[in-house]
Structures are given as structure tokens and as C-alpha cells.
Amino acid sequence: QVQKGDAMMALQRLAPGSMDVIFLDPPFDGRILKALQASAQAVVPGGWVYLEAPVAWQAEALAACGLQPVKYMKAGAVHAHLLQRPVEG
């Protein structure tokens, strides 16, 4: 199922661990951290979060959100991050 709309509102309605992949594309008006935390809760263990941001996110900050970086690239002013919720166990 594809959902389009306000990311924060959509993330707040998702059941924990109910998504395989989430795409986050700004603007977030300073709410990227909250969006990452909500995304980490919403994806299944092993699930993916794709984030476009105005800055590169460091592994430590992502780990604090419950996500680990898998791939990073920069294209112009966009920092693209492919993140994964670790599989526990």
C-alpha cells in the first residue's frame, strides 16, 4: 500500500512493525528526528527507511533512533540515506 501525504500524521497512525519500507522526503520543519524515531517503530525488524535530508546523518544519531545506515549518497544539496531497522536476536 502506498500512502501520500503529511509524513508525521501518517506515521502516527501506523501500527508498530506494520511497514516494510518508509520513504521520508522533506520538508520536515525541524522534525526529522521525530520522523526517524516514528519510522523506526513503524517498520518491521529488517525493514527499510529511505531518508532525504539537508544534512548527512551520522551512524550514532541514527542508532539512537533505532536505525542503522546501509547506504549514503549526496546529489546536489540532497543527502540520501538508506537505513534499516536492525533484526533483533
Side-chain angles (χ1 to χ4, degrees):
Q1 175 184 356
V2 175
Q3 294 185 10
K4 180 181 176 184
D6 182 282
M8 292 306 297
M9 289 179 66
L11 288 170
Q12 292 170 352
R13 290 190 296 246
L14 295 174
S18 63
M19 303 301 289
D20 293 317
V21 64
I22 295 175
F23 295 89
L24 298 175
D25 188 2
F28 293 107
D29 300 325
R31 299 182 294 168
I32 294 177
L33 179 61
K34 288 184 180 186
L36 285 170
Q37 292 167 335
S39 295
Q41 292 297 314
V43 295
V44 297
W48 301 95
V49 176
Y50 172 80
L51 168 68
E52 288 187 357
V55 298
W57 278 72
Q58 301 300 313
E60 298 81 21
L62 293 167
C65 295
L67 296 166
Q68 62 187 25
V70 175
K71 191 166 182 119
Y72 166 82
M73 67 172 266
K74 184 173 186 296
V78 176
H79 297 263
H81 306 76
L82 180 60
L83 313 169
Q84 189 173 38
R85 179 177 168 191
V87 177
E88 300 160 11

